[in-house]
């Protein structure tokens, strides 16, 4: 569970969010949406502990992240960024094994249990047959699944994903977000992902966090759909109607 308490953040003279109090529950897939430049990546980086220039509190499962040591933070939260990953020298199973770093000894040596978790993580995203392949010979969608497997191997209660559907075609976008929903429900994770895809957010997520500077609205998807927040914020009736028709 992620909880923001009296949370405010911005950069320079610009305040993006102010006095936010929201809870993002476990066993839940939450889509983070908002106009370009309103702070989706900034918020994710703050929750990930990579941006400490904020006031208020960010709690993960009841612990304020400011008081959490880096090694403990790595066991609480996993982050998947938008960057395309092409690691020619490493096999997929080696990339996923990096997720076990918070649990290995000082030499980074994998134990049998770690190898089992790596194999299970690849299987969970449907990539077990690719374990011995290198990512330079794989599609963007396949590489994104491997990076999600790495986050799964990290074995954290919270997963953050910044635009995970970037660079993917429409079928792969839906397939990937369906996978995230399955992981949230079956493994009890709190998964927060940013997206520009309104139709995906409305169709596949359990709840929606909408940045409406300086506010952050977080509601179950059905409530958000009828709240008027999305229609008012994006102020594009044709876009809203098209997204609503797909749901």
């Amino acid at each position: 569970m992620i909880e923001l308490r009296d949370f405010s953040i911005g950069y320079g003279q610009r305040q993006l969010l102010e006095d936010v109090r929201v809870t993002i529950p476990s066993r839940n897939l939450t889509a983070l949406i908002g106009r370009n430049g309103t702070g989706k990546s900034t918020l994710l980086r703050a929750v990930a502990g990579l941006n400490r220039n904020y006031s208020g509190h960010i709690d993960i499962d009841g612990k304020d992240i400011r008081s959490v040591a880096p090694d403990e933070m790595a066991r609480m939260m996993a982050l998947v960024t938008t960057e395309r990953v092409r690691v020619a020298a490493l096999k997929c199973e080696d990339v996923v094994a990096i997720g076990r770093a918070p649990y290995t000894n000082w030499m980074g040596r994998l134990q049998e249990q770690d190898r089992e978790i790596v194999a299970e993580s690849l299987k969970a995203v449907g990539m077990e047959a690719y374990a011995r392949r290198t990512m330079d010979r794989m599609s963007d969608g396949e590489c994104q699944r491997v990076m999600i497997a790495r986050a799964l191997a990290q074995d954290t209660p919270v997963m953050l994903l910044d635009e995970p559907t970037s660079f993917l075609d429409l079928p792969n976008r839906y397939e990937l977000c369906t996978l995230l929903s399955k992981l949230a429900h079956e493994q009890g994770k709190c998964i927060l992902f940013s997206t520009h895809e309104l139709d995906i957010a409305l169709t596949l997520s359990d709840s929606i966090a909408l940045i409406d500077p300086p506010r952050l609205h977080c509601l179950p998807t059905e409530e958000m759909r009828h709240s008027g927040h999305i229609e008012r914020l994006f102020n594009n009736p044709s876009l809203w109607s098209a997204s609503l028709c797909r749901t």
Side-chain angles (χ1 to χ4, degrees):
M1 180 178 70
I2 302 168
E3 185 178 8
L4 305 180
R5 296 183 290 117
D6 303 319
F7 175 83
S8 300
I9 194 168
Y11 53 83
Q13 299 299 313
R14 185 181 180 191
Q15 192 78 342
L16 296 172
L17 294 169
E18 188 172 1
D19 296 329
V20 168
R21 295 183 67 89
V22 302
T23 298
I24 300 172
S26 300
R27 204 173 295 276
N28 199 79
L29 178 64
T30 301
L32 176 63
I33 64 174
R35 284 185 172 275
N36 287 339
T38 54
K40 293 188 296 295
S41 294
T42 300
L43 175 58
L44 287 175
R45 287 179 59 83
V47 175
L50 301 178
N51 181 354
R52 297 297 179 96
N53 295 318
Y54 64 84
S55 61
H57 305 273
I58 302 173
D59 295 346
I60 294 181
D61 287 347
K63 293 184 178 180
D64 191 322
I65 66 170
R66 287 189 187 275
S67 65
V68 176
D71 58 340
E72 184 180 0
M73 188 69 174
R75 294 190 291 271
M76 294 171 59
M77 186 282 307
L79 173 67
V80 179
T81 67
T82 57
E83 298 176 1
R84 296 193 187 194
V85 177
R86 288 289 187 273
V87 188
L90 290 178
K91 296 185 290 293
C92 289
E93 62 184 2
D94 296 327
V95 174
V96 176
I98 294 172
R100 297 304 299 162
Y103 307 97
T104 57
N105 57 30
W106 66 274
M107 295 179 64
R109 183 173 298 168
L110 296 179
Q111 305 299 317
E112 184 59 31
Q113 181 183 9
D114 297 308
R115 298 186 189 280
E116 290 175 359
I117 291 174
V118 168
E120 290 170 359
S121 299
L122 282 165
K123 184 177 180 180
V125 300
M127 294 297 289
E128 64 269 33
Y130 291 70
R132 307 290 291 178
R133 296 192 191 183
T134 55
M135 294 176 68
D136 57 325
R137 299 184 179 183
M138 294 162 51
S139 70
D140 290 333
E142 291 166 343
C143 289
Q144 193 72 304
R145 282 176 174 267
V146 171
M147 297 311 295
I148 292 173
R150 179 198 58 76
L152 282 177
Q154 201 170 327
D155 193 21
T156 59
V158 172
M159 287 178 60
L160 308 176
L161 302 98
D162 193 3
E163 297 286 352
T165 59
S166 296
F167 316 120
L168 303 182
D169 58 19
L170 187 59
N172 276 312
R173 291 173 190 173
Y174 272 89
E175 187 177 355
L176 179 61
C177 290
T178 299
L179 168 65
L180 293 177
S181 178
K182 180 180 178 181
L183 294 173
H185 299 155
E186 292 185 358
Q187 299 193 17
K189 293 182 180 295
C190 172
I191 301 182
L192 175 64
F193 74 104
S194 62
T195 182
H196 288 99
E197 310 287 343
L198 274 179
D199 53 344
I200 287 178
L202 290 167
T203 303
L204 299 176
S205 63
D206 300 301
S207 59
I208 294 177
L210 184 148
I211 295 181
D212 180 13
R215 296 174 295 277
L216 177 66
H217 307 289
C218 189
L219 295 169
T221 300
E222 193 63 24
E223 290 184 30
M224 183 65 79
R225 181 184 287 122
H226 299 291
S227 68
H229 291 315
I230 297 177
E231 185 176 13
R232 175 182 54 78
L233 182 64
F234 289 94
N235 196 27
N236 187 333
S238 62
L239 175 63
W240 168 251
S241 297
S243 297
L244 190 60
C245 287
R246 295 190 185 102
T247 62

